[in-house]
Amino acid sequence: MTDSLIKEKDLLAAHVVYDYLQDHPEFFQQYPQLLASLRLPHQQRGSVSLVERQLEMQREKIVALEDDITRLMSVARQNEQLFLAFNKLQAQLYQAENLQQAEHSLQQFTAAMPQVQQCRLLCFNEQHSASEFQLLLSRRLNEQGIYLGRLNKEEQQGLFPPQIHSVALILISNEEQPLALMAFGSEQDDHFQPSMDKLFISHLATILAQLLPGYAA
C-alpha cells in the first residue's frame, strides 16, 4: 500500500471518529477509563490528559472573556465621558456670544476627550480661505464632509504640527457655502479611524453650521 493511500485511509478514519463523537457526545461517559488514558501533545508540558487540556481551554476562554469585559467597560466609560462633555459643549456653544467664546468651549471639550491633544476651528473669511485647504477638501472631504484617519505631510501642513498622527476633519457648511473647517488631532496613530462612529461630530457640525454666522455678525 502506497503512502498516499495510507494517509487517505487514516484521514477517512479520523473523519469517521470525529463524526461519531459529534453524534454521540455521551461516549466518554460510558467509557471513562478511555477518557483518562487519552493524552494530548502540549508545547510546554510534553503531553497532558484530555481532561487537563479541556480545563486549560476553559481557563483560556474565561481569561479572554474577562479581557473582553474589561475592554468593553473601558469603552463604556470613555463613551460616558464623551457624552457628558459633548452635552456641556452644546450648551456652551448656544450660550457663546462670539467666535472666541465658541473656540474656548471647543478647547475645553478637547481637553476632556481621551487621547485628543489639539482642536482647530478655521473659519473661511479674510484670514483663512477655503482655497488654502483645497487639497483636503477635494481629497478627504469631498463626499460626506467628514474624514477620520491619517494625513500625509503635505495635507497636514498648516493644520497640525508633526506630532499629530491621526485626525478628525469636519467640513462645516450650510446650504449655500462652506463656512469652516474643524479638526481634532491625536498623537496616537490609530485613535481616529475611518470605521469609527460619526454621530457626535456630525451633530457638532450641524450645530456649528447654525451658530457660526451669528458669531460673525
Side-chain angles (χ1 to χ4, degrees), residues 129-141:
S129 67
S131 60
E132 286 183 58
F133 304 98
Q134 189 57 44
L135 184 64
L136 285 178
L137 297 178
S138 60
R139 185 181 294 177
R140 303 294 187 181
L141 296 166

Side-chain angles (χ1 to χ4, degrees), residues 7-179:
K7 291 179 180 178
E8 184 177 348
K9 183 178 180 181
D10 291 342
L11 183 62
L12 178 61
H15 278 296
V16 171
V17 173
Y18 177 86
D19 292 339
Y20 180 84
L21 293 177
Q22 283 280 89
D23 295 336
H24 301 83
E26 76 287 350
F27 176 80
F28 288 110
Q29 293 178 347
Q30 298 174 1
Y31 302 95
Q33 68 279 8
L34 178 60
L35 180 63
S37 65
L38 291 176
R39 310 294 294 177
L40 298 175
H42 193 280
Q43 292 182 350
Q44 284 79 32
R45 295 159 54 191
S47 63
V48 297
S49 71
L50 180 59
V51 174
E52 288 177 303
R53 182 55 182 147
Q54 287 177 322
L55 290 174
E56 184 177 2
M57 291 177 65
Q58 289 299 323
R59 285 193 292 269
E60 291 173 355
K61 288 181 180 179
I62 291 172
V63 170
L65 287 172
E66 289 176 343
D67 289 342
D68 286 342
I69 292 172
T70 301
R71 178 181 56 82
L72 290 173
M73 290 178 64
S74 176
V75 171
R77 284 193 295 269
Q78 290 184 7
N79 286 341
E80 181 183 15
Q81 181 181 354
L82 178 59
F83 177 75
L84 294 174
F86 187 76
N87 282 348
K88 181 179 179 180
L89 173 63
Q90 287 186 91
Q92 290 176 333
L93 290 176
Y94 279 110
Q95 293 169 5
E97 297 178 356
N98 53 54
L99 184 60
Q100 289 71 29
Q101 291 179 2
E103 289 177 334
H104 179 69
S105 298
L106 285 168
Q107 294 300 332
Q108 288 182 322
F109 174 68
T110 302
M113 286 196 295
Q115 299 181 346
V116 178
Q117 285 75 35
Q118 296 204 25
C119 171
R120 297 201 66 188
L121 178 61
L122 303 171
C123 295
F124 299 145
N125 48 33
E126 294 82 6
Q127 186 177 0
H128 297 289
S129 67
S131 60
E132 286 183 58
F133 304 98
Q134 189 57 44
L135 184 64
L136 285 178
L137 297 178
S138 60
R139 185 181 294 177
R140 303 294 187 181
L141 296 166
N142 59 346
E143 294 181 1
Q144 295 181 333
I146 295 175
Y147 173 73
L148 302 172
R150 303 193 63 178
L151 300 176
N152 60 39
K153 291 182 179 179
E154 184 183 10
E155 293 169 333
Q156 189 159 316
Q157 188 175 6
L159 187 62
F160 286 127
Q163 65 265 28
I164 295 299
H165 293 162
S166 62
V167 303
L169 302 179
I170 307 99
L171 180 63
I172 301 168
S173 58
N174 55 25
E175 297 179 357
E176 300 176 358
Q177 61 182 352
L179 301 174

